[in-house]
Amino acid sequence: MASIELSMRGHVAEVLLNRPGALNAIDDEMDRALAAAWERIDGDPNTRVAVLRGAGERAFCAGGDIAAPPTGRGGLSFGGGLTGIGGRLQRLRKPLVCAVHGYVLGLGFELAMCADIIVAADDARFGLPEARAGIIDHCGVVHRAVRQLPHHVAMAMIVASQTLDAPRAAQYGLVNEVVPLESLDIAVQEWTDKILGCAPLVSQAAKQAALDGLDISLEEALAARYPLIDLYSQTDDYQEAMCAWRERRAPEWKGR
């Protein structure tokens, strides 16, 4: 059984963490498979949005596999390079929606925080078990947690392994929506439909600018130029946007 499954549904790439017997813990094989999946998704002009899920009923991802921990060599870094832990950070250009349920722990928590949209089932539990387990290595998740959560909420997770349930995660802005587990697929579909209704090249250009701008001061970000934004006026979709506006109709995006 493959450690992940990658499938296409129209303009949507579906990535499934597929080690339910190990609570989808990430080992070297899964790390390499994720790296290949992200590269394929970003390189495919037909793909406009990616969706990440975890197989099985108990967990989205329980973190790195302690029995066979990922090294980051074959997969660029843990999470296939998406997290940047232990190797090169690979920022996915396409919008990423993550559907989480059950345990979302350690490296799995980190992987979820790499998404642009997080939809959580009401049974989702986010946690950093490192302090309680007495095991730590790299632990890049702490850097995202303390940036994406209120300081003291993040620190409680970091130093006391305090877990965070889905409603509180929504309260703190960590997730976009909390739904009953049986409604998770419907909610994810609604989010992907929202993204597919937008100009794909604009979504990608705006995402690049937003993330690149985080690395510099606000003043520098406002003054900077961003390649995908600069190129957009030369695309077919820009011309389609202008025509649709003049003709008072819905645009038909081509992604080119």
Side-chain angles (χ1 to χ4, degrees):
M1 182 174 66
S3 60
I4 75 161
E5 292 182 2
L6 172 61
S7 58
M8 290 299 302
R9 178 173 48 83
H11 295 295
V12 181
E14 302 267 4
V15 180
L16 180 71
L17 306 180
N18 195 33
R19 300 185 70 215
L23 301 183
N24 298 318
I26 297 175
D27 61 5
D28 242 9
E29 180 186 354
M30 183 184 282
D31 188 38
R32 291 192 299 270
L34 284 170
W38 306 134
E39 290 175 5
R40 179 176 170 184
I41 288 166
D42 253 359
D44 180 9
N46 188 56
T47 300
R48 300 183 183 178
V49 58
V51 175
L52 176 63
R53 309 172 191 267
E57 299 180 355
R58 297 179 58 196
F60 163 72
C61 177
D65 191 334
I66 295 177
T71 63
R73 291 190 292 270
L76 301 179
S77 59
F78 308 157
L82 204 62
T83 67
I85 304 174
R88 180 172 65 85
L89 174 63
Q90 177 178 329
R91 281 178 169 157
L92 191 66
R93 189 173 75 253
K94 309 297 176 66
L96 176 61
V97 178
C98 186
V100 298
H101 71 285
Y103 295 117
V104 189
L105 306 178
L107 180 53
F109 185 18
E110 167 88 358
L111 195 56
M113 285 191 287
C114 293
D116 304 299
I117 304 292
I118 303 177
V119 185
D122 54 9
D123 70 340
R125 296 293 183 273
F126 302 87
L128 302 177
E130 287 82 359
R132 182 168 295 178
I135 300 173
I136 190 168
D137 183 22
H138 290 295
C139 203
V141 64
V142 303
H143 303 296
R144 290 188 191 272
V146 81
R147 285 165 170 79
Q148 296 190 26
L149 286 164
H151 179 84
H152 292 102
V153 174
M155 293 308 296
M157 300 183 76
I158 292 166
V159 305
S161 290
Q162 176 69 43
T163 59
L164 185 66
D165 63 23
R168 289 181 67 225
Q171 175 187 344
Y172 298 132
L174 180 71
V175 304
N176 296 82
E177 186 177 8
V178 178
V179 298
L181 178 59
E182 60 270 20
S183 301
L184 187 59
D185 289 345
I186 295 173
V188 169
Q189 183 62 56
E190 290 174 349
W191 280 104
T192 56
D193 287 345
K194 289 177 184 178
I195 295 172
L196 291 173
C198 297
L201 299 181
V202 171
S203 292
Q204 293 168 35
K207 174 178 176 175
Q208 181 196 62
L211 295 182
D212 287 354
L214 288 175
D215 295 333
I216 54 181
S217 71
L218 176 59
E219 290 78 8
E220 292 172 312
L222 293 171
R225 303 298 306 176
Y226 301 95
L228 295 183
I229 292 179
D230 288 342
L231 291 171
Y232 181 66
S233 63
Q234 305 171 31
T235 66
D236 291 346
D237 276 2
Y238 174 77
Q239 298 302 322
E240 169 63 8
M242 296 297 100
C243 289
W245 182 83
R246 287 193 299 268
E247 297 169 7
R248 300 294 190 268
R249 61 172 174 80
E252 298 180 6
W253 308 120
K254 302 298 184 183
R256 61 175 187 267

